[in-house]
């Protein structure tokens, strides 16, 4: 624990991250730092944004005691921003294929936020599969909601990774229940058009735009493991 910040218990048995608000440049003002990382991204400086988030992760990690279970308060703005920064930094590492680091970050996030407000369980499952850590995957997959398309994609990819084939039942569910996602994943092109960007930024994006967003978020996986998309296409054409 540092003199610049501390964990303060709340009435609901969670903790808030308190910091010296008189210091406008406090590195524990996680809301300010999160907004800074967003601005850096908007200005096209992705490297600076990643570095900002990673530094915030390191400061957050230093605050968490090793010998206690700590749950951060989602209702506290600064603590919520800290959780979001941790998730964003994990995504940064996920996108460059650093499976061990991003998995460790998401494991910490789920310890600090067991209600999983940011739905990190699904992303952690992708990281475990990419790393070939099937035991850890089996432990986390049940935490991914059956209502989410990620659950069926992960089920299909998991079986293919382990057995070289895909479940006909899961494939049928993917095509029937999540048709726009299936169509996007087997498409030859995934253009980021002005219309797509406008729709995603709207309050109610279409399923087609959400499908493209998921493709873009996982595209690096399918470049590393192209047999998954090839399998979807070949089985889907039977």
């Amino acid at each position: 624990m540092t003199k610049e910040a501390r964990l303060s218990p709340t009435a609901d048995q969670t903790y808030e991250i308190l910091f010296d608000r008189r210091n406008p440049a406090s590195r524990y003002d996680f809301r300010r730092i999160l907004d800074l990382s967003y601005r850096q991204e908007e200005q096209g400086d992705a490297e600076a944004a990643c570095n900002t988030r990673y530094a915030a992760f390191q400061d957050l990690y230093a605050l968490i005691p090793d010998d206690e279970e700590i749950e951060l308060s989602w209702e506290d703005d600064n603590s919520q921003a800290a959780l979001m920064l941790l998730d964003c930094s994990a995504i940064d590492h996920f996108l460059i294929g650093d499976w061990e680091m991003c998995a460790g970050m998401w494991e910490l996030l789920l310890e600090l936020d067991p209600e999983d407000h940011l739905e990190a369980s699904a992303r952690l499952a992708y990281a475990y599969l990419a790393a070939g850590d099937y035991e850890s995957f089996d432990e986390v997959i049940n935490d991914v909601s059956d209502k989410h398309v990620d659950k069926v994609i992960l089920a299909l990819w998991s079986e293919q990774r382990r057995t070289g084939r895909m479940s006909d039942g899961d494939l049928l569910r993917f095509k029937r229940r999540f048709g726009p996602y299936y169509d996007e994943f087997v498409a030859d092109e995934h253009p980021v058009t002005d219309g797509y960007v406008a729709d995603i930024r709207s309050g109610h994006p279409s399923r087609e735009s959400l499908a493209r967003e998921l493709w873009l978020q996982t595209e690096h996986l399918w470049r590393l493991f192209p047999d998954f998309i090839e399998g979807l296409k070949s089985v889907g054409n039977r």
Side-chain angles (χ1 to χ4, degrees):
M1 204 76 64
T2 98
K3 294 182 179 179
E4 299 177 61
R6 64 185 178 89
L7 297 173
S8 176
T10 69
D12 61 357
Q13 298 184 321
T14 61
Y15 288 82
E16 298 176 347
I17 300 174
L18 302 184
F19 65 98
D20 185 358
R21 294 183 180 273
R22 297 170 299 179
N23 178 5
S26 172
R27 69 179 192 270
Y28 298 100
D29 183 351
F30 291 116
R31 176 57 57 183
R32 177 187 65 80
I33 295 168
L34 181 63
D35 291 342
L36 170 62
S37 74
Y38 289 157
R39 289 196 304 274
Q40 289 169 328
E41 279 190 330
E42 290 170 359
Q43 294 164 2
D45 196 344
E47 182 177 358
C50 291
N51 290 339
T52 294
R53 291 189 282 258
Y54 185 65
F57 154 70
Q58 291 176 305
D59 287 330
L60 173 62
Y61 186 79
L63 278 176
I64 306 302
D66 295 329
D67 55 353
E68 268 183 85
E69 289 187 7
I70 298 293
E71 179 180 346
L72 293 182
S73 170
W74 185 255
E75 306 307 317
D76 174 58
D77 186 60
N78 195 50
S79 302
Q80 182 182 127
L83 294 170
M84 293 173 70
L85 278 161
L86 175 53
D87 185 43
C88 288
S89 190
I91 291 171
D92 292 336
H93 287 81
F94 178 65
L95 291 174
I96 61 172
D98 191 344
W99 315 127
E100 183 176 358
M101 177 63 82
C102 68
M105 287 178 160
W106 278 319
E107 288 165 358
L108 175 61
L109 177 59
L110 290 169
E111 291 174 11
L112 298 176
D113 179 34
E115 292 187 30
D116 197 9
H117 290 89
L118 296 170
E119 299 181 346
S121 295
R123 293 187 289 279
L124 179 57
Y126 281 111
Y128 283 148
L129 269 188
D133 186 351
Y134 303 127
E135 182 177 350
S136 295
F137 172 83
D138 289 339
E139 291 176 359
V140 78
I141 190 60
N142 290 330
D143 295 328
V144 181
S145 171
D146 290 335
K147 297 178 181 179
H148 292 177
V149 65
D150 296 283
K151 186 69 169 275
V152 69
I153 292 173
L154 286 162
L156 285 164
W157 192 29
S158 171
E159 182 162 5
Q160 189 199 45
R161 291 274 282 153
R162 299 188 210 215
T163 70
R165 63 179 300 274
M166 292 183 177
S167 160
D168 290 338
D170 284 330
L171 182 63
L172 186 62
R173 180 167 172 249
F174 190 23
K175 295 176 71 174
R176 287 186 175 177
R177 186 174 178 185
F178 302 103
Y181 291 86
Y182 173 81
D183 292 342
E184 184 68 35
F185 272 59
V186 299
D188 292 329
E189 296 182 353
H190 313 272
V192 180
T193 63
D194 291 342
Y196 159 75
V197 173
D199 192 30
I200 280 295
R201 290 178 177 175
S202 71
H204 303 283
S206 67
R207 291 187 82 202
E208 288 75 14
S209 291
L210 290 172
R212 182 152 303 173
E213 180 182 50
L214 181 60
W215 165 268
L216 294 170
Q217 290 171 345
T218 57
E219 181 179 12
H220 66 295
L221 289 177
W222 318 132
R223 292 188 183 280
L224 290 169
F225 304 98
D227 54 328
F228 177 67
I229 302 302
E230 292 167 5
L232 284 181
K233 290 180 178 180
S234 62
V235 175
N237 290 330
R238 286 196 315 209

